Amino acid sequence: MSRILHRSLRNEPLLAVSGRGLMVHGRTMGGATGEPVIDASGGAAVACLGHGDERVVEAITAQARQIAYAHTVFFTCQAAEDLAELLVGHAPGGLTHAYFVSSGSEAMEAALKLARQYFLEVGQPSRHRFIARRQSYHGNTLGALGLGGNFARREPYAPILADCFSHVSPCFAYRFQDEGESDADYVARLAAELEAEFQRLGPQNVAAFVAEPIVGATAGCVTALPGYFPAMRAVCDRHGALLILDEVMCGMGRSGTLHAWEQEGVSPDIQTIAKGLGGGYQPIGAILAQGRIVEALAAGSGAFKHGHTYQAHPVACAAALAVQRIIRDDNLLANVQAMGARLEAALQDRFGNHAHVGDIRGRGLFWALEFVEDRGSRKTFAPERKVNEAVKDAAMAAGVMIYPMGGTIDGRQGDHVIVAPPYIARPDDIDAIVERLGRAVDSVLG
Protein backbone atom coordinates (compact mmCIF):
# COMPACT_ATOMS: atom_id res chain seq x y z
CA MET A 1 0.00 0.00 0.00
CA SER A 2 1.40 3.37 -1.03
CA ARG A 3 1.81 5.95 1.71
CA ILE A 4 1.86 8.78 -0.85
CA LEU A 5 -1.16 11.06 -1.13
CA HIS A 6 -1.53 10.46 -4.87
CA ARG A 7 -3.65 12.50 -7.29
CA SER A 8 -6.23 9.73 -7.28
CA LEU A 9 -7.05 7.95 -4.06
CA ARG A 10 -9.05 5.29 -5.90
CA ASN A 11 -6.75 4.17 -8.69
CA GLU A 12 -3.25 2.93 -8.08
CA PRO A 13 -0.75 4.77 -10.30
CA LEU A 14 1.84 3.11 -12.48
CA LEU A 15 5.40 3.21 -11.25
CA ALA A 16 7.74 4.95 -13.70
CA VAL A 17 10.82 2.76 -14.10
CA SER A 18 12.91 4.47 -16.78
CA GLY A 19 12.83 6.86 -19.68
CA ARG A 20 15.00 7.39 -22.75
CA GLY A 21 14.26 9.86 -25.49
CA LEU A 22 10.51 9.84 -26.10
CA MET A 23 9.95 6.45 -24.50
CA VAL A 24 8.87 5.82 -20.90
CA HIS A 25 8.79 2.41 -19.25
CA GLY A 26 6.54 1.66 -16.30
CA ARG A 27 5.12 -1.16 -14.26
CA THR A 28 2.29 -1.70 -11.83
CA MET A 29 2.93 -1.34 -8.11
CA GLY A 30 2.50 -5.10 -7.99
CA GLY A 31 5.48 -5.58 -10.29
CA ALA A 32 3.87 -6.33 -13.66
CA THR A 33 5.87 -4.64 -16.42
CA GLY A 34 3.92 -2.79 -19.07
CA GLU A 35 4.79 -1.96 -22.65
CA PRO A 36 6.85 1.23 -23.21
CA VAL A 37 4.81 4.28 -24.18
CA ILE A 38 5.62 7.35 -26.27
CA ASP A 39 5.65 10.46 -24.11
CA ALA A 40 3.67 12.67 -26.48
CA SER A 41 2.84 15.32 -23.90
CA GLY A 42 6.10 15.75 -22.03
CA GLY A 43 4.09 14.97 -18.90
CA ALA A 44 2.37 18.35 -18.73
CA ALA A 45 4.41 19.92 -21.57
CA VAL A 46 7.50 19.69 -19.36
CA ALA A 47 9.96 17.13 -20.80
CA CYS A 48 11.08 19.26 -23.72
CA LEU A 49 14.28 17.26 -24.28
CA GLY A 50 12.67 13.92 -23.63
CA HIS A 51 14.20 11.66 -21.02
CA GLY A 52 17.72 10.63 -20.08
CA ASP A 53 19.85 13.27 -21.80
CA GLU A 54 23.29 12.54 -20.40
CA ARG A 55 24.49 16.11 -20.90
CA VAL A 56 21.93 17.36 -18.40
CA VAL A 57 22.65 14.52 -16.00
CA GLU A 58 26.36 15.39 -16.12
CA ALA A 59 25.63 19.07 -15.42
CA ILE A 60 23.48 18.15 -12.43
CA THR A 61 26.14 15.78 -11.08
CA ALA A 62 28.95 18.28 -11.50
CA GLN A 63 27.01 21.02 -9.71
CA ALA A 64 25.97 18.73 -6.86
CA ARG A 65 29.62 17.74 -6.37
CA GLN A 66 30.69 21.39 -6.32
CA ILE A 67 27.94 22.74 -4.05
CA ALA A 68 24.36 21.55 -3.91
CA TYR A 69 22.76 24.40 -1.98
CA ALA A 70 23.59 27.99 -1.13
CA HIS A 71 21.05 30.33 0.46
CA THR A 72 20.62 33.57 -1.47
CA VAL A 73 20.84 35.67 1.70
CA PHE A 74 24.55 34.80 1.68
CA PHE A 75 25.52 33.76 -1.84
CA THR A 76 24.71 33.75 -5.49
CA CYS A 77 25.97 30.85 -7.59
CA GLN A 78 27.61 30.68 -10.99
CA ALA A 79 24.91 28.46 -12.50
CA ALA A 80 22.23 31.02 -11.66
CA GLU A 81 24.35 33.89 -12.96
CA ASP A 82 25.06 32.05 -16.21
CA LEU A 83 21.42 31.06 -16.66
CA ALA A 84 20.26 34.64 -16.17
CA GLU A 85 22.86 35.87 -18.65
CA LEU A 86 21.69 33.33 -21.23
CA LEU A 87 18.04 34.26 -20.77
CA VAL A 88 18.15 38.05 -20.47
CA GLY A 89 21.74 39.13 -21.12
CA HIS A 90 20.62 40.36 -24.54
CA ALA A 91 17.52 42.05 -23.04
CA PRO A 92 14.86 40.34 -25.19
CA GLY A 93 11.88 42.66 -25.46
CA GLY A 94 13.43 44.83 -22.76
CA LEU A 95 13.55 42.03 -20.19
CA THR A 96 16.79 42.45 -18.26
CA HIS A 97 16.56 40.52 -14.99
CA ALA A 98 15.62 36.99 -13.93
CA TYR A 99 14.43 35.65 -10.59
CA PHE A 100 14.55 31.87 -10.16
CA VAL A 101 12.06 29.84 -8.12
CA SER A 102 10.98 26.19 -8.03
CA SER A 103 7.71 26.08 -10.00
CA GLY A 104 5.34 27.95 -12.27
CA SER A 105 2.99 28.68 -9.37
CA GLU A 106 5.85 30.20 -7.40
CA ALA A 107 6.80 32.25 -10.45
CA MET A 108 3.30 33.70 -10.68
CA GLU A 109 3.25 34.52 -6.97
CA ALA A 110 6.55 36.35 -7.44
CA ALA A 111 5.21 38.20 -10.47
CA LEU A 112 2.18 39.44 -8.56
CA LYS A 113 4.34 40.62 -5.68
CA LEU A 114 6.85 42.30 -7.99
CA ALA A 115 4.06 44.19 -9.77
CA ARG A 116 2.57 45.32 -6.48
CA GLN A 117 5.92 46.40 -5.06
CA TYR A 118 6.79 48.25 -8.25
CA PHE A 119 3.78 50.51 -7.87
CA LEU A 120 4.54 51.09 -4.21
CA GLU A 121 8.08 52.12 -5.16
CA VAL A 122 6.88 54.60 -7.81
CA GLY A 123 4.28 56.20 -5.56
CA GLN A 124 1.08 54.57 -6.84
CA PRO A 125 -0.06 52.56 -3.79
CA SER A 126 -3.68 52.32 -4.93
CA ARG A 127 -2.77 49.81 -7.65
CA HIS A 128 -3.67 46.46 -6.15
CA ARG A 129 -6.16 44.92 -8.62
CA PHE A 130 -5.25 42.26 -11.17
CA ILE A 131 -7.35 41.40 -14.22
CA ALA A 132 -7.01 37.96 -15.79
CA ARG A 133 -9.22 35.91 -18.11
CA ARG A 134 -11.82 33.23 -17.67
CA GLN A 135 -10.58 29.77 -18.64
CA SER A 136 -7.01 30.72 -17.82
CA TYR A 137 -4.71 28.87 -15.47
CA HIS A 138 -1.89 30.47 -13.53
CA GLY A 139 -1.01 27.97 -10.83
CA ASN A 140 -2.31 26.19 -7.75
CA THR A 141 -1.05 28.28 -4.84
CA LEU A 142 -3.76 30.49 -3.38
CA GLY A 143 -2.61 33.69 -5.06
CA ALA A 144 -2.12 32.07 -8.45
CA LEU A 145 -5.37 30.13 -8.11
CA GLY A 146 -7.27 33.33 -7.32
CA LEU A 147 -5.76 35.00 -10.35
CA GLY A 148 -6.59 32.12 -12.68
CA GLY A 149 -9.91 31.53 -14.35
CA ASN A 150 -10.18 27.76 -13.96
CA PHE A 151 -13.38 27.89 -11.97
CA ALA A 152 -13.56 24.15 -11.30
CA ARG A 153 -10.22 24.32 -9.50
CA ARG A 154 -11.10 27.61 -7.79
CA GLU A 155 -14.50 26.56 -6.49
CA PRO A 156 -13.50 24.46 -3.44
CA TYR A 157 -11.20 27.22 -2.21
CA ALA A 158 -13.29 30.28 -3.13
CA PRO A 159 -13.86 31.34 0.50
CA ILE A 160 -10.12 31.64 1.12
CA LEU A 161 -9.09 33.32 -2.15
CA ALA A 162 -8.20 37.01 -2.24
CA ASP A 163 -10.73 39.46 -3.71
CA CYS A 164 -8.22 41.55 -5.66
CA PHE A 165 -8.70 39.49 -8.84
CA SER A 166 -11.31 39.82 -11.59
CA HIS A 167 -11.78 38.17 -14.96
CA VAL A 168 -12.71 39.10 -18.51
CA SER A 169 -13.44 36.95 -21.54
CA PRO A 170 -10.70 34.92 -23.21
CA CYS A 171 -9.83 35.23 -26.89
CA PHE A 172 -11.34 31.84 -27.73
CA ALA A 173 -12.68 32.17 -31.26
CA TYR A 174 -13.97 28.61 -31.67
CA ARG A 175 -16.29 28.99 -28.71
CA PHE A 176 -16.99 32.68 -28.22
CA GLN A 177 -16.62 34.57 -31.50
CA ASP A 178 -20.12 35.50 -32.70
CA GLU A 179 -21.43 34.15 -35.97
CA GLY A 180 -20.63 36.65 -38.70
CA GLU A 181 -18.31 38.64 -36.44
CA SER A 182 -15.00 39.45 -38.10
CA ASP A 183 -11.72 38.76 -36.35
CA ALA A 184 -11.08 42.50 -36.04
CA ASP A 185 -14.51 43.11 -34.53
CA TYR A 186 -14.06 40.26 -32.07
CA VAL A 187 -10.70 41.66 -30.94
CA ALA A 188 -12.24 45.14 -30.64
CA ARG A 189 -15.05 43.70 -28.51
CA LEU A 190 -12.56 42.05 -26.17
CA ALA A 191 -10.51 45.25 -25.92
CA ALA A 192 -13.67 47.16 -25.05
CA GLU A 193 -14.48 44.59 -22.37
CA LEU A 194 -11.03 45.00 -20.83
CA GLU A 195 -11.42 48.79 -20.96
CA ALA A 196 -14.79 48.50 -19.23
CA GLU A 197 -13.24 46.38 -16.48
CA PHE A 198 -10.52 49.00 -15.94
CA GLN A 199 -13.25 51.62 -15.62
CA ARG A 200 -15.31 49.49 -13.24
CA LEU A 201 -12.34 48.97 -10.95
CA GLY A 202 -10.94 52.47 -11.40
CA PRO A 203 -7.94 52.63 -13.73
CA GLN A 204 -5.81 54.02 -10.92
CA ASN A 205 -6.39 50.81 -8.95
CA VAL A 206 -5.30 48.29 -11.60
CA ALA A 207 -1.79 46.91 -11.34
CA ALA A 208 -1.76 44.50 -14.28
CA PHE A 209 -3.54 42.47 -16.89
CA VAL A 210 -2.36 38.84 -16.91
CA ALA A 211 -2.73 36.35 -19.75
CA GLU A 212 -1.25 33.22 -21.31
CA PRO A 213 -0.15 33.90 -24.92
CA ILE A 214 -1.37 30.38 -25.71
CA VAL A 215 -3.86 29.11 -23.15
CA GLY A 216 -2.55 25.81 -21.86
CA ALA A 217 -4.22 23.00 -19.97
CA THR A 218 -7.48 24.69 -18.98
CA ALA A 219 -8.77 25.44 -22.49
CA GLY A 220 -6.37 23.42 -24.63
CA CYS A 221 -3.77 25.30 -26.70
CA VAL A 222 -6.02 28.27 -27.54
CA THR A 223 -4.12 30.81 -29.62
CA ALA A 224 -5.16 34.46 -29.83
CA LEU A 225 -6.35 36.10 -33.02
CA PRO A 226 -3.95 38.48 -34.79
CA GLY A 227 -3.96 41.89 -33.13
CA TYR A 228 -5.39 40.69 -29.83
CA PHE A 229 -2.32 41.18 -27.65
CA PRO A 230 -1.41 44.58 -29.13
CA ALA A 231 -4.98 45.66 -28.37
CA MET A 232 -4.70 44.46 -24.77
CA ARG A 233 -1.29 46.10 -24.46
CA ALA A 234 -2.79 49.39 -25.65
CA VAL A 235 -5.44 49.29 -22.90
CA CYS A 236 -2.78 48.62 -20.26
CA ASP A 237 -0.52 51.38 -21.57
CA ARG A 238 -3.37 53.88 -21.69
CA HIS A 239 -3.93 53.42 -17.98
CA GLY A 240 -0.36 52.83 -16.81
CA ALA A 241 -0.88 49.18 -15.88
CA LEU A 242 1.57 46.35 -16.47
CA LEU A 243 1.20 43.45 -18.89
CA ILE A 244 2.17 40.13 -17.31
CA LEU A 245 2.43 37.17 -19.68
CA ASP A 246 2.30 33.65 -18.30
CA GLU A 247 4.46 31.39 -20.46
CA VAL A 248 4.85 28.62 -17.91
CA MET A 249 3.37 26.07 -20.31
CA CYS A 250 3.62 27.66 -23.76
CA GLY A 251 7.05 29.28 -23.48
CA MET A 252 10.74 28.37 -23.71
CA GLY A 253 10.45 27.05 -27.25
CA ARG A 254 7.18 25.13 -27.02
CA SER A 255 5.45 27.40 -29.55
CA GLY A 256 8.35 27.45 -32.04
CA THR A 257 10.05 30.58 -30.74
CA LEU A 258 11.84 30.78 -27.42
CA HIS A 259 9.12 33.12 -26.13
CA ALA A 260 5.55 32.81 -27.35
CA TRP A 261 5.13 36.60 -27.19
CA GLU A 262 7.64 36.94 -30.03
CA GLN A 263 4.81 35.86 -32.35
CA GLU A 264 2.26 38.28 -30.90
CA GLY A 265 3.75 41.71 -31.60
CA VAL A 266 4.17 42.63 -27.92
CA SER A 267 6.62 42.12 -25.10
CA PRO A 268 5.62 41.82 -21.44
CA ASP A 269 6.59 43.92 -18.47
CA ILE A 270 6.90 40.70 -16.46
CA GLN A 271 6.99 37.15 -17.82
CA THR A 272 6.68 33.83 -16.02
CA ILE A 273 8.39 30.67 -17.27
CA ALA A 274 8.87 27.18 -15.87
CA LYS A 275 8.12 23.85 -17.55
CA GLY A 276 10.39 24.07 -20.58
CA LEU A 277 13.02 25.97 -18.61
CA GLY A 278 14.40 22.88 -16.90
CA GLY A 279 12.71 20.20 -18.99
CA GLY A 280 11.72 18.26 -15.88
CA TYR A 281 15.28 17.44 -14.87
CA GLN A 282 14.93 19.66 -11.81
CA PRO A 283 12.05 21.74 -10.40
CA ILE A 284 12.57 25.32 -11.58
CA GLY A 285 10.62 28.37 -12.67
CA ALA A 286 11.41 32.04 -13.11
CA ILE A 287 10.15 35.52 -13.70
CA LEU A 288 11.78 37.80 -16.24
CA ALA A 289 11.35 41.53 -15.67
CA GLN A 290 11.77 44.78 -17.57
CA GLY A 291 14.73 46.92 -16.53
CA ARG A 292 12.58 49.88 -15.46
CA ILE A 293 10.78 47.72 -12.91
CA VAL A 294 13.99 46.51 -11.32
CA GLU A 295 15.46 50.02 -11.45
CA ALA A 296 12.46 51.37 -9.53
CA LEU A 297 13.09 48.88 -6.72
CA ALA A 298 16.82 49.60 -6.73
CA ALA A 299 16.21 53.35 -6.49
CA GLY A 300 13.59 52.93 -3.76
CA SER A 301 13.71 50.29 -1.05
CA GLY A 302 16.70 48.58 -2.63
CA ALA A 303 15.28 45.07 -2.37
CA PHE A 304 12.61 42.75 -3.72
CA LYS A 305 10.53 41.98 -0.63
CA HIS A 306 9.97 38.35 -1.42
CA GLY A 307 11.93 35.13 -1.11
CA HIS A 308 11.98 31.33 -1.01
CA THR A 309 14.34 28.88 0.65
CA TYR A 310 15.14 27.20 -2.65
CA GLN A 311 15.21 30.19 -4.98
CA ALA A 312 18.08 30.12 -7.48
CA HIS A 313 18.92 26.59 -6.32
CA PRO A 314 22.36 25.76 -7.73
CA VAL A 315 21.53 22.25 -8.99
CA ALA A 316 18.20 23.36 -10.48
CA CYS A 317 19.88 26.29 -12.23
CA ALA A 318 22.66 24.05 -13.53
CA ALA A 319 20.09 21.66 -14.99
CA ALA A 320 18.15 24.49 -16.63
CA LEU A 321 21.34 26.02 -17.99
CA ALA A 322 22.24 22.72 -19.62
CA VAL A 323 18.73 22.34 -21.07
CA GLN A 324 18.75 25.84 -22.52
CA ARG A 325 22.22 25.42 -24.00
CA ILE A 326 21.11 22.18 -25.67
CA ILE A 327 18.05 23.89 -27.14
CA ARG A 328 20.31 26.61 -28.52
CA ASP A 329 23.28 24.52 -29.64
CA ASP A 330 21.21 21.71 -31.20
CA ASN A 331 19.03 24.26 -33.00
CA LEU A 332 15.93 22.64 -31.54
CA LEU A 333 13.66 25.61 -32.20
CA ALA A 334 14.00 24.86 -35.91
CA ASN A 335 13.00 21.28 -35.19
CA VAL A 336 10.00 22.45 -33.16
CA GLN A 337 8.88 24.50 -36.16
CA ALA A 338 9.40 21.68 -38.64
CA MET A 339 7.90 18.93 -36.49
CA GLY A 340 5.14 21.28 -35.42
CA ALA A 341 4.13 21.74 -39.04
CA ARG A 342 4.22 17.98 -39.53
CA LEU A 343 2.14 17.42 -36.40
CA GLU A 344 -0.45 19.99 -37.46
CA ALA A 345 -0.76 18.41 -40.91
CA ALA A 346 -1.01 14.89 -39.46
CA LEU A 347 -3.66 15.90 -36.93
CA GLN A 348 -5.68 17.67 -39.62
CA ASP A 349 -5.40 14.69 -41.94
CA ARG A 350 -6.40 12.17 -39.25
CA PHE A 351 -9.02 14.17 -37.33
CA GLY A 352 -10.07 17.03 -39.59
CA ASN A 353 -13.25 15.21 -40.63
CA HIS A 354 -13.77 13.21 -37.46
CA ALA A 355 -17.38 13.34 -36.33
CA HIS A 356 -16.40 14.06 -32.73
CA VAL A 357 -13.38 16.35 -33.10
CA GLY A 358 -14.69 19.90 -33.21
CA ASP A 359 -11.46 21.86 -33.25
CA ILE A 360 -7.74 21.25 -33.83
CA ARG A 361 -5.65 24.14 -32.54
CA GLY A 362 -2.20 25.07 -31.38
CA ARG A 363 1.24 26.19 -32.48
CA GLY A 364 4.72 24.67 -32.61
CA LEU A 365 4.70 21.39 -30.69
CA PHE A 366 1.68 22.39 -28.62
CA TRP A 367 -1.62 21.11 -30.04
CA ALA A 368 -5.04 20.12 -28.78
CA LEU A 369 -8.10 18.28 -29.98
CA GLU A 370 -11.45 19.47 -28.63
CA PHE A 371 -14.09 16.75 -28.58
CA VAL A 372 -17.78 17.37 -29.32
CA GLU A 373 -20.86 15.22 -29.46
CA ASP A 374 -22.00 17.07 -32.58
CA ARG A 375 -19.72 19.03 -34.91
CA GLY A 376 -22.44 21.20 -36.40
CA SER A 377 -23.80 22.57 -33.14
CA ARG A 378 -20.51 22.15 -31.24
CA LYS A 379 -22.49 20.43 -28.51
CA THR A 380 -20.28 18.98 -25.81
CA PHE A 381 -20.38 15.53 -24.30
CA ALA A 382 -21.98 15.21 -20.88
CA PRO A 383 -19.29 15.93 -18.28
CA GLU A 384 -20.17 12.70 -16.49
CA ARG A 385 -18.80 10.73 -19.45
CA LYS A 386 -15.30 12.11 -18.79
CA VAL A 387 -14.43 11.71 -22.44
CA ASN A 388 -11.00 13.29 -22.03
CA GLU A 389 -10.02 10.74 -19.38
CA ALA A 390 -11.36 7.88 -21.46
CA VAL A 391 -9.24 9.00 -24.41
CA LYS A 392 -6.20 9.32 -22.13
CA ASP A 393 -6.69 5.78 -20.84
CA ALA A 394 -7.21 4.41 -24.35
CA ALA A 395 -4.13 6.25 -25.56
CA MET A 396 -2.01 4.76 -22.79
CA ALA A 397 -3.29 1.32 -23.81
CA ALA A 398 -2.30 2.15 -27.40
CA GLY A 399 1.19 3.16 -26.25
CA VAL A 400 1.07 6.96 -26.21
CA MET A 401 0.80 9.53 -23.40
CA ILE A 402 -1.35 12.61 -24.05
CA TYR A 403 -2.57 15.22 -21.56
CA PRO A 404 -6.34 15.25 -20.84
CA MET A 405 -8.59 17.95 -19.42
CA GLY A 406 -12.30 18.56 -18.92
CA GLY A 407 -14.22 21.79 -18.43
CA THR A 408 -12.77 23.30 -21.59
CA ILE A 409 -15.50 25.92 -22.00
CA ASP A 410 -16.57 26.97 -18.52
CA GLY A 411 -14.90 24.70 -15.99
CA ARG A 412 -17.57 22.02 -16.41
CA GLN A 413 -18.53 21.61 -20.06
CA GLY A 414 -16.12 20.42 -22.74
CA ASP A 415 -13.29 17.92 -23.23
CA HIS A 416 -9.89 18.16 -24.87
CA VAL A 417 -6.52 16.44 -24.95
CA ILE A 418 -3.13 18.05 -25.53
CA VAL A 419 -0.32 16.70 -27.70
CA ALA A 420 3.02 18.27 -26.78
CA PRO A 421 5.94 15.98 -27.65
CA PRO A 422 9.58 16.78 -26.82
CA TYR A 423 11.53 19.13 -29.07
CA ILE A 424 13.73 16.23 -30.18
CA ALA A 425 10.84 14.44 -31.91
CA ARG A 426 11.55 13.10 -35.40
CA PRO A 427 9.13 12.52 -38.30
CA ASP A 428 8.54 8.86 -37.45
CA ASP A 429 7.78 9.86 -33.85
CA ILE A 430 5.13 12.33 -35.00
CA ASP A 431 3.58 9.77 -37.30
CA ALA A 432 3.47 7.12 -34.56
CA ILE A 433 1.95 9.56 -32.06
CA VAL A 434 -0.91 10.51 -34.38
CA GLU A 435 -1.52 6.93 -35.50
CA ARG A 436 -1.78 5.67 -31.92
CA LEU A 437 -3.88 8.64 -30.82
CA GLY A 438 -6.20 7.97 -33.77
CA ARG A 439 -6.74 4.40 -32.61
CA ALA A 440 -7.46 5.64 -29.08
CA VAL A 441 -9.98 8.28 -30.16
CA ASP A 442 -11.77 5.83 -32.43
CA SER A 443 -11.98 3.25 -29.68
CA VAL A 444 -13.69 5.74 -27.38
CA LEU A 445 -15.78 7.81 -29.80
CA GLY A 446 -16.03 5.69 -32.95
Side-chain angles (χ1 to χ4, degrees), residues 314-333:
V315 179
C317 288
L321 180 62
V323 169
Q324 294 309 306
R325 283 173 170 168
I326 291 167
I327 291 172
R328 179 196 63 193
D329 296 345
D330 290 3
N331 198 23
L332 290 182
L333 293 183

Side-chain angles (χ1 to χ4, degrees), residues 272-297:
T272 59
I273 56 177
K275 298 177 187 294
L277 177 59
Y281 284 88
Q282 288 282 286
I284 189 167
I287 60 172
L288 310 179
Q290 292 274 342
R292 64 184 175 86
I293 294 174
V294 178
E295 290 163 8
L297 271 62

